[in-house]
Amino acid sequence: MNVKTIEWRDDKVVMIDQRVLPIEEVYVECEDYKQVADAIKTMVIRGAPAIGVAAAMGVAQGALGIDSKDFATFEQKLNHVCEVLLATRPTAVNLRWGVERMKHKLATLKNLSISEIKQELKKEAITIMEEDIAINRQMGDFGQTLLNSGDTVLTHCNAGALATAGWGTALGVIYSAKAAGKTIEVYADETRPFLQGARLTAWELMKNNIHTTLITDNMAASIMRQKKIKAVIVGADRIAANGDVANKIGTYGVAILAKEHDIPFYVAAPLSTIDIRCPTGDQIPIEERSAEEVTNFYRQRVAPDGIHVRNPAFDVTPNSLVTAIITEKGIIKAPYLETIKKLF
Ligand code: MRU
């Protein structure tokens, strides 16, 4: 795909605007960390790994904007930058991971001048972006071994190139299968209410010449019953130490459907999405988004004024429904408490 999700260009963080795809292909240029934070919050950029990269770049941009000459003040000001970025979205742990990696880098740079530190932090953010693409390719290489040519895969939300620095996690597995000479078809859930499936997954799969069928979320059960789906592959926003998986709202339902129809349910996610400090899915914070996303359909109001609304953006799939987790270090299965521990 000839589209860059996120890039560092002339000290600006450039992102494709995922709020308006696929109708418009426009880019947002963030000139400082506050604009990066705003872009994460308003979902110009979304998807756990992409958010992690954006946060790291935000920290680097924040560092460039600090004019202090001594390390202690510089660090204090950079901590404030980190807090602003951390407050943008609560569920995807990659955000915290990206910020913490930048903080760890800073801790190794104490002996350098402030201007050298700024350059090193900028390099680190760009490295994080490049590593993300390489990690996705590794995951894809492992994950594609689970698929045979002719298989049809169902996916939920967008866990593709647009949700990462490139290639993708769940969709990366499809792209790697294609690169290995396999023909794979995809059913994409539209993913109400933000329509990541209809707008983003459908768009990027078509750009990559993958035969794709778009369905509304409530069609998945019937399609599975017709024996059209060989595997489900989704991404994740946070995986707890016991293998419980937080991902886009609706994923839990898809996992239950997969179990009922004897279809394997795979989760593709980098280690940066695994939160070993979080014991189970019950401790994962779930973002609640605005009511308008539910009362409106693509900006058109469809529900009566005054109606009560819930809009949790994510749900938790218990580890018992997860057939395997595909990571850059290999494919792991239950008992996840043990297999995840071994990864770290
Ligand atoms: O609200 P979003 O669009 O940021 O949610 C994204 C998802 O739920 C993805 O499935 C997840 O981040 C995995 S992306 C590789």
Side-chain angles (χ1 to χ4, degrees):
M1 192 169 76
N2 252 346
V3 176
K4 280 242 160 219
T5 307
I6 181 163
E7 241 183 316
W8 183 279
R9 207 189 297 151
D10 299 331
D11 292 345
K12 292 190 185 113
V13 181
V14 184
M15 308 165 182
I16 191 164
D17 190 343
Q18 301 197 30
R19 298 167 304 181
V20 295
L21 277 173
I23 311 296
E24 290 172 65
E25 223 174 289
V26 292
Y27 290 82
V28 169
E29 289 190 356
C30 301
E31 310 219 356
D32 60 37
Y33 79 92
K34 286 186 188 152
Q35 291 181 4
V36 172
D38 196 53
I40 296 172
K41 206 178 183 103
T42 58
M43 290 173 72
V44 169
I45 191 157
R46 31 66 51 201
I51 293 174
V53 172
M57 288 188 172
V59 175
Q61 253 190 344
L64 292 182
I66 296 171
D67 56 14
S68 322
K69 294 275 176 283
D70 69 289
F71 185 85
T73 324
F74 179 83
E75 187 177 35
Q76 197 186 7
K77 289 190 175 166
L78 199 63
N79 281 340
H80 172 70
V81 169
C82 294
E83 291 310 315
V84 171
L85 288 160
L86 285 170
T88 52
R89 294 192 75 192
T91 304
V93 74
N94 306 62
L95 177 75
R96 188 184 80 198
W97 177 90
V99 168
E100 284 184 354
R101 175 142 161 197
M102 294 298 283
K103 279 187 169 183
H104 286 139
K105 183 71 191 176
L106 178 66
T108 68
L109 302 172
K110 283 185 180 152
N111 297 330
L112 301 185
S113 70
I114 297 294
S115 67
E116 285 168 330
I117 291 175
K118 290 179 180 180
Q119 292 314 309
E120 287 303 313
L121 289 176
K122 177 166 129 180
K123 268 199 240 158
E124 183 71 357
I126 294 168
T127 302
I128 289 173
M129 178 190 71
E130 287 163 353
E131 281 177 7
D132 184 57
I133 301 171
I135 284 169
N136 289 332
R137 291 220 175 230
Q138 280 165 353
M139 255 189 294
D141 287 346
F142 284 121
Q144 66 85 19
T145 62
L146 298 166
L147 300 177
N148 294 312
S149 196
D151 282 356
T152 299
V153 171
L154 183 135
T155 192
H156 190 76
C157 195
N158 172 268
L162 288 168
T164 62
W167 201 247
T169 58
L171 298 191
V173 172
I174 312 280
Y175 300 144
S176 295
K178 186 179 178 210
K182 298 174 188 174
T183 304
I184 307 291
E185 279 191 34
V186 177
Y187 271 70
D189 281 353
E190 70 169 345
T191 318
R192 271 281 283 158
F194 205 70
L195 303 177
Q196 288 95 332
R199 298 188 303 103
L200 309 176
T201 297
W203 180 77
E204 71 162 89
L205 286 172
M206 284 180 78
K207 270 204 179 274
N208 285 293
N209 297 313
I210 306 280
H211 187 295
T212 305
T213 303
L214 176 64
I215 57 172
T216 62
D217 302 325
N218 50 1
M219 293 174 189
S222 170
I223 302 283
M224 285 186 187
R225 195 174 163 83
Q226 292 163 28
K227 304 216 180 304
K228 292 213 187 305
I229 308 297
K230 271 277 156 35
V232 172
I233 311 181
V234 295
D237 289 85
R238 191 184 300 221
I239 300 177
N242 72 342
D244 290 347
V245 174
N247 191 47
K248 180 52 55 194
I249 190 77
T251 304
Y252 176 36
V254 174
I256 292 171
L257 292 177
K259 181 163 189 164
E260 173 67 20
H261 295 93
D262 243 334
I263 297 167
F265 179 88
Y266 300 123
V267 175
L271 296 194
S272 54
T273 301
I274 301 179
D275 186 0
I276 39 168
R277 292 184 240 164
C278 184
T280 76
D282 292 344
Q283 290 81 41
I284 298 176
I286 301 293
E287 176 182 10
E288 188 90 22
R289 293 185 60 83
S290 80
E292 282 70 40
E293 288 183 358
V294 177
T295 55
N296 295 22
F297 189 81
Y298 211 60
R299 297 179 195 131
Q300 171 75 44
R301 178 103 195 171
V302 291
D305 284 341
I307 187 73
H308 286 288
V309 171
R310 281 291 316 276
N311 187 13
F314 302 94
D315 60 26
V316 174
T317 299
N319 58 16
S320 57
L321 297 176
V322 178
T323 311
I325 301 175
I326 304 159
T327 76
E328 69 271 34
K329 285 205 180 161
I331 298 169
I332 58 165
K333 292 192 172 177
Y336 290 109
L337 206 53
E338 287 166 32
T339 51
I340 286 178
K341 205 181 257 172
K342 273 192 203 139
L343 285 179
F344 285 86

